[in-house]
Amino acid sequence: MRPPTAARAARIVLFLACLAGILAAFTARDLNGRLTQGGWTPSAAESVRADALLAERFQAGSPDLVLLATSRGSVDAPEAVRAGRDVMARLASEPRTAWVRGYWPTDDRRGAASPELRSADGHQAAVLVRFRGEERTVRAAARAAVDRFTGPNGPLRLAASGESPVRDETERLGTDGLRLAELIAVPLVLVLLLWTFGSLTAALLPVVIGCLAVICTMAFLRLLTEATTVSVFALNITTALGFGLAVDFSLLMVSRFREELHSGVAPADAVRRTCRTAGGAVACSAAVVAGSMGALLVFPLPLLRSIAYGAAAVVLFSAGGALLVLPALLFLLGGAVNRFDVFARLRRPPVPLSAGAWYRLAQWVNRNPLRVTAGTLILLLAMAFPLTQTRFGMYDDRSLPRSSPVARTSHELREKFTSQAVDAAVVVLPAFDAGRSGEALDAYARRLSLVPGARRVTTATGLYVQGRRLPAPTGPRDANAPGGFTGPAGTWMSVDPAFDVPLSPAGIRLTERLRAVEAPAPVLVGGQAARLTDTHHSLAGRLPSVLLLIAVTTFLFLLAYTRSVLVPLKALLLNGLGLCATFGFLVAVFQQGHLSFLLGDVTATGITDVVVPSLLLCVAFGLSMDYEVFLLSRIVEEHRRGAATPDAVALGLQRAGRLFTSAALIFATVMACLALSSLILLKLIGVGLVLAVLLDCTVIRALLVPALMRLMGRANWWFPWPWRRSAPAGRDIVADG
């Protein structure tokens, strides 16, 4: 009989878990409305300060909304002019509007029309709008303006583009992609769980743990929004990660519990043995994965930090559910965990370990370790080669699918307008008096116009091209720009790039060159290219620290768990090699356009987003280490029982192979459905994680790990002499080829 005290304790644990889930769901009810899409640039970066100063003191800067007005006739026709002025006046009257700038001059401003905001054929004109407030306020104002003004407006038809509409479209496509993934992934995952766990009862256990972990993490993120900005991508990634880890941890625990039951152990003893063996592996894996995710906190980007908080939280909640809630469920279920095996008739009868497919594969590798090692290394290095051709940048409207209305409008603006107003770099000189120091400003503008990559420079003293000052322009930045280029707050200038994509390596080079030019006063360089530059430098500068932190924490956890020095080092090197192969494949597909059928409705952008590698590094590394612990836990256990290294590897692979491949297949199914999204960012993350886990569970875990452990022999278990007695006591420590 089950001890009544233990049964009562199990019921109390389940009651507390249900109560925690209900409270968490109540706390997280309004989470979506408090998430942001910003955080891609360090908040203290020079570009952020320059853009804020430009908006606050000069009423200028990059627009939040760009309206493209199309007329069947000329935009200079009287009725088109009246309609255009009316739209601009109504936009200017909105309380959240900071400034409006358009082709048609408004009644209260002097000057001719702004020719750069008119298409060459005369049928289209642009209106630029900037709003006041923080991100959520700006996006709400832009969304209201889009709803109110787009569509027919007399003789004009207006369509929307700009930063806010692009972000809204990105959020919409991301939400649609996640819904599609849920619709496709849920039934597929349920079938895989049924086949893997062998019963409906057991298959539902990871669903319970996963839902509890995700709900608690959502509540944590909701509380976190009170203290800092939290990205919408943090919710997307932690949801998928939480479910995947819940499956991993539950699979390990439930499989071990059923193994103990099959050996004739009572349910209570089976739970204790499961917690002592598989529970230790879960705790070690959770610590390694949480450490990998927590390393994202080193980066100064609010986006990555919010993902780090959410990912580390979901790892800990998943492990807590697997180590506390799941044992209570298993204790109360007992033998009933095996009920309702809907695929029982399709299953093959169990075979001895030495006759299993994974055991035979390991023995084949043991007989051919050099050939297997050489072949797999050549494959992985060939996949990693495109990394040498990486061009870092940031995704903008060009990354949207071709079918998106916002993408089509952005394409028209880029193709039909000569103005570089949206893409221009800005150079702000706070407190610089252009009236008293006009000659110094003139000389500085001439130097800036000579910078490679700069097409022209516009400021209070005129228009500059290739070191020469041209006649003063009548464009939007002098006649129509609120506040002009100079005032009590200082002076600023606009630098139009000589290339089409500012969020690219060319934009980084231009920003660095502009910042290197000698200035007559302290300057701040802003704009899209400057934001990319600051993000790139902040990531590149912190990346060595992140890699070192991940390596040290992972090594120490695995060292304590395996009582081996070389095994953790091998795991680190192989995981790094697998990640390089994954990134190389992503560069080949998403940057260079090879295997373009994987991209669907989007096209290769020619760049690799500078933020994504750092994100994938931590997520994929954590998952790979999760599967590594799955395998090592059984290999170490067999070796401690006295098996020689080749036999320990073969037995461990036979016992754990099905577990980590099933876990990887389930996680890959979720990520593959995410890759069906028409948003290139989600597609890249989905394809990247699918490839990472499949490479890990096949090429690395099934082939390269056994081959290297066979080659290293007894050196696998070397441990410093003061702690050698705690090392595994397998006989191959004494004699092993």
Side-chain angles (χ1 to χ4, degrees):
M1 294 180 62
R2 299 177 180 179
T5 307
R8 190 181 306 114
R11 293 189 180 94
I12 292 174
V13 169
L14 295 181
F15 172 77
L16 293 176
C18 292
L19 183 62
I22 293 172
L23 291 175
F26 178 79
T27 303
R29 66 190 185 282
D30 62 339
L31 173 62
N32 286 328
R34 302 183 65 87
L35 300 176
T36 71
Q37 281 210 356
W40 295 80
T41 306
S43 54
E46 178 181 335
S47 58
V48 174
R49 290 182 284 126
D51 293 340
L53 194 65
L54 196 64
E56 293 171 5
R57 298 189 182 182
F58 296 96
Q59 295 288 290
S62 300
D64 298 308
L65 172 65
V66 180
L67 293 175
L68 176 62
T70 304
S71 173
R72 291 185 178 179
S74 172
V75 292
D76 293 309
E79 60 274 13
V81 173
R82 285 194 296 270
R85 287 180 173 178
D86 178 65
V87 169
M88 292 177 63
R90 285 190 290 158
L91 281 167
S93 67
E94 295 291 329
R96 288 174 290 187
T97 299
W99 53 257
V100 178
R101 193 159 73 221
Y103 170 65
W104 306 277
T106 53
D107 294 338
D108 58 345
R109 289 192 189 135
R110 297 180 181 179
S114 302
E116 292 186 345
L117 297 181
R118 175 183 180 272
S119 63
D121 60 11
H123 293 294
Q124 290 178 308
V127 177
L128 316 180
V129 190
R130 188 178 180 97
F131 300 98
R132 299 186 183 92
E134 46 87 28
E135 182 192 348
R136 281 195 292 266
T137 302
V138 168
R139 288 185 60 193
R143 196 177 297 121
V146 169
D147 293 340
R148 181 178 176 186
F149 293 102
T150 54
N153 277 269
L156 303 177
R157 174 172 288 276
L158 272 61
S161 180
E163 186 173 347
S164 288
V166 167
R167 287 190 173 185
D168 281 342
E169 185 74 351
T170 300
E171 183 174 339
R172 182 186 69 81
L173 292 172
T175 302
D176 292 345
L178 290 174
R179 289 174 181 169
L180 177 65
E182 291 169 357
L183 289 174
I184 299 176
V186 168
L188 289 177
V189 168
L190 183 58
V191 171
L192 289 171
L193 286 173
L194 284 172
W195 178 260
T196 301
F197 282 92
S199 76
L200 179 62
T201 303
L204 291 176
L205 294 178
V207 177
V208 173
I209 302 302
C211 290
L212 183 62
V214 170
I215 291 173
C216 290
T217 304
M218 291 173 65
F220 172 77
L221 291 177
R222 170 61 184 84
L223 296 175
L224 193 63
T225 60
E226 299 291 341
T228 185
T229 58
V230 178
S231 170
V232 65
F233 290 105
L235 177 62
N236 297 341
I237 291 173
T238 54
T239 299
L241 188 63
F243 187 74
L245 289 173
V247 169
D248 290 358
F249 297 158
S250 301
L251 183 58
L252 192 62
M253 296 286 287
V254 173
S255 297
R256 189 56 182 254
F257 176 73
R258 296 170 72 184
E259 183 181 321
E260 296 293 344
L261 285 181
H262 184 71
S263 65
V265 176
D269 293 331
V271 170
R272 281 193 289 270
R273 292 188 181 183
T274 298
C275 292
R276 187 171 60 250
T277 54
V282 167
C284 177
S285 177
V288 171
V289 178
S292 298
M293 303 302 174
L296 287 171
L297 290 172
V298 176
F299 293 118
L301 272 63
L303 165 71
L304 293 182
R305 287 187 171 180
S306 64
I307 292 175
Y309 290 129
V314 81
V315 171
L316 297 179
F317 284 129
S318 298
L323 295 176
L324 296 175
V325 180
L326 189 56
L329 287 169
L330 293 174
F331 179 81
L332 295 176
L333 285 172
V337 73
N338 294 317
R339 288 181 181 174
F340 309 115
D341 189 350
V342 295
F343 293 120
R345 295 183 179 180
L346 301 178
R347 298 183 189 280
R348 297 178 181 179
V351 297
L353 291 177
S354 59
W358 290 103
Y359 185 91
R360 296 198 304 272
L361 175 62
Q363 294 291 26
W364 175 81
V365 172
N366 285 334
R367 292 191 297 270
N368 305 277
L370 286 175
R371 282 187 290 176
V372 171
T373 301
T376 52
L377 287 178
I378 290 172
L379 172 64
L380 294 174
L381 290 173
M383 292 182 65
F385 177 74
L387 272 179
T388 60
Q389 303 165 352
T390 306
R391 298 177 69 251
F392 286 116
M394 273 187 173
Y395 291 148
D396 56 8
D397 58 88
R398 298 171 182 84
S399 66
L400 296 174
R402 292 183 291 268
S403 58
S404 166
V406 176
R408 290 198 298 269
T409 303
S410 300
H411 179 74
E412 283 193 80
L413 285 165
R414 195 168 284 109
E415 289 292 317
K416 297 184 179 181
F417 289 77
T418 60
S419 174
Q420 301 282 335
V422 176
D423 296 338
V426 294
V427 180
V428 185
L429 295 88
F432 181 82
D433 191 342
R436 294 184 178 180
S437 307
E439 293 182 1
L441 183 64
D442 176 81
Y444 182 46
R446 291 177 189 271
R447 291 195 295 273
L448 290 179
S449 68
L450 290 171
V451 168
R455 186 169 69 92
R456 68 179 188 179
V457 176
T458 313
T459 188
T461 53
L463 173 66
Y464 298 82
V465 176
Q466 292 297 307
R468 295 180 295 110
R469 185 170 68 179
L470 303 182
T474 57
R477 299 189 190 92
D478 58 340
N480 240 9
F485 283 100
T486 187
T491 301
W492 69 281
M493 50 186 63
S494 174
V495 182
D496 290 341
F499 44 86
D500 294 331
V501 186
L503 297 176
S504 67
I508 296 177
R509 290 192 293 271
L510 175 60
T511 303
E512 291 173 342
R513 290 165 181 163
L514 292 176
R515 289 175 174 172
V517 174
E518 182 183 357
V523 300
L524 297 173
V525 178
Q528 292 190 42
R531 291 201 297 271
L532 166 62
T533 304
D534 291 336
T535 300
H536 180 268
H537 288 172
S538 66
L539 292 174
R542 303 291 181 91
L543 186 59
S545 301
V546 171
L547 294 176
L548 180 63
L549 179 61
I550 292 177
V552 170
T553 55
T554 301
F555 177 79
L556 292 178
F557 279 124
L558 291 181
L559 181 72
Y561 183 72
T562 63
R563 291 293 193 270
S564 167
V565 174
L566 290 184
V567 169
L569 289 176
K570 171 190 62 64
L572 287 171
L573 292 175
L574 293 187
N575 276 21
L577 184 59
L579 288 176
C580 288
T582 299
F583 291 151
F585 180 84
L586 294 179
V587 170
V589 174
F590 289 89
Q591 176 184 306
Q592 299 173 344
H594 302 298
L595 302 176
S596 57
F597 66 89
L598 293 175
L599 299 178
D601 190 33
V602 297
T603 56
T605 59
I607 61 169
T608 296
D609 192 282
V610 69
V611 177
V612 171
S614 302
L615 175 60
L616 282 180
L617 165 69
C618 295
V619 176
F621 186 90
L623 289 171
S624 298
M625 277 302 172
D626 187 34
Y627 304 142
E628 174 77 6
V629 172
F630 272 31
L631 179 58
L632 285 179
S633 65
R634 300 312 295 251
I635 293 176
V636 170
E637 187 175 336
E638 294 297 333
H639 190 261
R640 284 173 176 166
R641 289 176 179 173
T645 298
D647 294 332
V649 172
L651 291 170
L653 188 60
Q654 176 61 33
R655 292 184 181 277
R658 184 171 177 269
L659 297 182
F660 66 72
T661 51
S662 297
L665 184 59
I666 291 171
F667 186 80
T669 300
V670 176
M671 291 297 106
C673 294
L674 188 64
L676 296 176
S677 169
S678 56
L679 187 63
I680 193 171
L681 182 64
L682 291 181
K683 189 183 292 288
L684 188 149
I685 292 174
V687 172
L689 290 179
V690 166
L691 181 62
V693 298
L694 292 182
L695 268 180
D696 189 82
C697 72
T698 54
V699 175
I700 294 178
R701 301 286 161 243
L703 296 175
L704 199 49
V705 168
L708 288 177
M709 293 193 75
R710 178 68 182 90
L711 291 173
M712 290 190 297
R714 59 186 177 186
N716 284 291
W717 313 110
W718 179 83
F719 204 63
W721 67 267
W723 300 277
R724 192 171 295 168
R725 291 186 177 181
S726 301
R731 60 177 177 269
D732 72 320
I733 291 181
V734 178
D736 183 359

